[in-house]
Amino acid sequence: MSILLNNNGYDNQTWYQALTTAFPDKAVHIYDQIVNLDETAHEIEYAVVWNHPNGDLQRYPNLKGILLLGAGTEHIDADDNIPHVPIVRLIDPEVIKDMGLYVLYWVMDQHRLYDTYRVQQQQAKWHRHNICQPSAFNVTVLGLGAVGKAVANGLSMNGFSVTGWDAYPQQLNNIACFHSTDQLATAVEQADVLVNCLPLNASTQHFINSDLIEQLPVGAMLINISRGDIIDDDALLSALDNNQLSRAVLDTFSIEPLPSASRYWQHPKVTVTPHMSGATYARSAVRLIADNIRRIENGEQPFPLHQPPTP
Ligand code: GLV
């Protein structure tokens, strides 16, 4: 019996090795290298996938589990033909730690004016700027799931003033948490930096739009480590152009790879990174996936289970 592997082109070979080592008795089939899918389909028991083609997973009659290669679930949620087997998210502490460090880096960059000093160096200009204490520098984290919580806690532990907002009530030590659309304006009105950690779903599409951006203090910075579709790109670009926002650091985009024609590439106030704030590496994540496959094999419950939205 075998495992279907599709990491959407990212490091399939490394994953292949890691899964083959973890399960020497199972064949691992890389999705886009399968020669005769109709013949192989009945062997597949586990699908280890990321951004897998819609409708494909119903082709495996002996499928026992779908193991996602990432924390986000919007791809699988968009598939109306998912077989009734456990769907398991990947919440890898190493990935979450990396995302927290990514955000901390850019928040520090903004707070300490490192971007200004980079420009000053090009001009051989020696000039020190006064800045506020970190405790007076406000960061609002939108979305307090596993990633948002870690991001918020990491910033707070480093002395920043952190506010959290989530669709549902949440509690975090030393962090003022707000919830529901009624409290959104209060959550963002002081934000020197707004960090997007929201999941992408029907209610978060273009959540960061001109209405929300206008509620931020003038000169705020936006960091997006979640999904590009949560941002209204036109609204963001015009807010940068008219100085409502000072900067945007964007790790995710509506279309990835980011098309070369995108204005983001050349925009002087935008930093583009290629969806690497929390890259999933087989070296840490394969153990979590292998443990969950073993749980299913032993009749135990894998975790964390994902509940697809009801249509
Ligand atoms: C990556 O974007 C993930 O969802 O883990």
Side-chain angles (χ1 to χ4, degrees), residues 6-234:
N6 177 16
N7 197 22
N8 212 241
Y10 287 106
D11 242 354
N12 272 336
Q13 278 310 326
T14 312
W15 276 97
Y16 176 86
Q17 286 302 338
L19 286 168
T20 307
T21 306
F23 296 102
D25 57 329
K26 292 194 194 299
V28 177
H29 297 283
I30 299 178
Y31 177 66
D32 55 13
Q33 294 176 13
I34 297 176
V35 181
N36 187 338
L37 192 55
D38 289 335
E39 261 179 28
T40 315
H42 71 279
E43 287 178 31
I44 304 288
E45 287 180 324
Y46 298 98
V48 177
V49 292
W50 177 242
N51 197 3
H52 196 66
N54 272 11
D56 181 76
L57 290 168
Q58 60 164 353
R59 298 174 65 180
Y60 310 103
N62 296 314
L63 197 66
K64 295 191 203 162
I66 300 168
L67 295 296
L68 302 180
L69 279 164
T73 60
E74 75 282 359
H75 300 130
I76 208 87
D77 292 344
D79 190 337
D80 296 333
N81 289 300
I82 294 293
H84 292 286
V85 297
I87 303 173
V88 192
R89 289 177 73 194
L90 179 64
I91 305 286
D92 181 346
E94 202 172 296
V95 172
I96 290 179
K97 195 167 97 198
D98 282 350
M99 296 175 93
L101 289 174
Y102 178 99
V103 172
L104 179 62
Y105 176 97
W106 289 110
V107 167
M108 287 181 64
D109 194 271
Q110 182 77 345
H111 171 239
R112 302 294 298 266
L113 306 178
Y114 291 145
D115 209 29
T116 305
Y117 291 118
R118 279 190 284 269
V119 173
Q120 281 188 199
Q121 179 172 355
Q122 284 159 13
Q123 301 161 347
K125 182 169 163 189
W126 184 276
H127 175 69
R128 190 194 294 171
H129 300 267
N130 288 333
I131 55 166
C132 66
Q133 290 177 308
S135 58
F137 194 78
N138 297 303
V139 186
T140 296
V141 178
L142 294 181
L144 298 173
V147 172
K149 278 188 180 136
V151 165
N153 284 328
L155 293 165
S156 173
M157 280 183 323
N158 281 283
F160 290 100
S161 157
V162 183
T163 300
W165 182 90
D166 194 90
Y168 304 102
Q170 304 287 346
Q171 278 195 329
L172 292 174
N173 280 345
N174 299 322
I175 294 172
C177 292
F178 296 91
H179 66 276
S180 75
T181 31
D182 297 350
Q183 299 184 2
L184 185 58
T186 314
V188 303
E189 69 191 0
Q190 311 270 340
D192 294 304
V193 180
L194 183 69
V195 184
N196 178 33
C197 298
L198 290 167
L200 176 62
N201 55 43
S203 57
T204 60
Q205 185 96 19
H206 284 194
F207 191 88
I208 299 181
N209 52 24
S210 52
D211 288 347
L212 180 62
I213 291 172
E214 272 163 29
Q215 299 184 49
L216 295 168
V218 172
M221 173 201 211
L222 173 69
I223 301 176
N224 185 17
I225 56 166
S226 167
R227 290 292 183 263
D229 281 331
I230 295 171
I231 293 180
D232 176 341
D233 291 325
D234 291 338

